[in-house]
């Protein structure tokens, strides 16, 4: 069976990228990472890719006039590498319809909260401050809203009374590393069907 070609977009440490790499290496994920793209130079995500012999590209937003021009360049690189599924792994930019139309229901994102609660940024802190008793993470397809696309998988973790942003983030991140490869595997095996807002796992 041919391997699904992934294009991973990251802006930071890339621990989710690492979880995907590890899953592929141990034969759990029938995929290959065709390219890792970062909007920031010198981030550890790029280093992780290089250490595993994966091609990397850096595309910096300051060299583009607007978000659409930036996304046009992303699409060019992803298509050049014959990417079939785009995986946002700590990619800290809002994507435009240029990218979404080029990969309809073929872009996944991981978010460190239980959507639709706490979309946006700094959501672990927001969950603590709100007094939520549980939080978690969500893998979803990307649409034009901010963290609004159809939900594929979620994992729940408790919020403890003595949690700080750091301790809760670490507990959530552990679950992210577990569920992101699972969601990608379901996609790779053709087991995800999107019906309106709902993702059915076949
Ligand atoms: C992860 O917690 C991910 O859910 C979050 O950034 C972190 C990246 O960590 N993504 C977002 O907040 C997207 N809005 P990583 O670089 O170690 O994978």
């Amino acid at each position: 069976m041919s391997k699904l070609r992934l294009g991973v977009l990251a802006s930071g440490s890339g621990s989710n990228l690492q979880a995907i790499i590890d899953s592929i290496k141990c034969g759990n994920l029938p995929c290959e990472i065709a390219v890792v793209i970062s909007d920031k130079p010198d981030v550890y995500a790029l280093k992780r890719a290089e250490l595993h012999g994966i091609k990397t590209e850096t595309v910096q937003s300051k060299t583009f006039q607007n978000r659409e021009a930036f996304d046009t360049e992303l699409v060019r690189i992803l298509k050049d590498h014959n990417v079939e599924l785009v995986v946002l792994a700590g990619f800290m930019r809002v994507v435009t319809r240029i990218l979404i139309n080029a990969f309809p229901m073929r872009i996944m994102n991981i978010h460190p909260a239980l959507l639709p609660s706490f979309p946006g940024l700094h959501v672990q802190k927001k969950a603590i401050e709100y007094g939520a008793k549980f939080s978690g993470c969500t893998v979803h397809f990307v649409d034009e809203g901010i963290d609004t696309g159809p939900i594929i998988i979620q994992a729940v973790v408790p919020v403890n009374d003595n949690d700080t942003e750091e301790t809760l983030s670490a507990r959530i991140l552990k679950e992210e590393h577990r569920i992101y490869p699972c969601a990608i595997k379901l996609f790779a095996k053709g087991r995800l069907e999107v019906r309106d807002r709902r993702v059915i796992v076949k």
Side-chain angles (χ1 to χ4, degrees), residues 12-16 89-92 109-112 120-121 124 173 176:
S13 112
S15 70
N16 276 289
F91 189 59
M92 294 308 194
N109 181 44
I110 187 141
H111 181 76
L121 295 174
Q124 299 93 335
L173 198 57
E176 293 185 39

Side-chain angles (χ1 to χ4, degrees), residues 81-148:
H81 288 85
N82 298 314
V83 164
E84 297 165 289
L85 177 69
V86 181
V87 175
L88 308 187
F91 189 59
M92 294 308 194
R93 288 181 60 86
V94 176
V95 301
T96 69
R97 74 173 58 194
I98 301 280
L99 187 64
I100 291 159
N101 290 348
F103 294 93
M105 289 303 154
R106 285 181 164 264
I107 308 172
M108 279 186 193
N109 181 44
I110 187 141
H111 181 76
L114 288 178
L115 293 171
S117 292
F118 307 114
L121 295 174
H122 311 296
V123 294
Q124 299 93 335
K125 185 164 180 272
K126 284 178 189 163
I128 293 170
E129 285 172 357
Y130 192 89
K133 298 294 185 197
F134 291 91
S135 188
C137 48
T138 304
V139 180
H140 63 94
F141 285 113
V142 174
D143 64 9
E144 280 184 48
I146 294 181
D147 303 320
T148 53

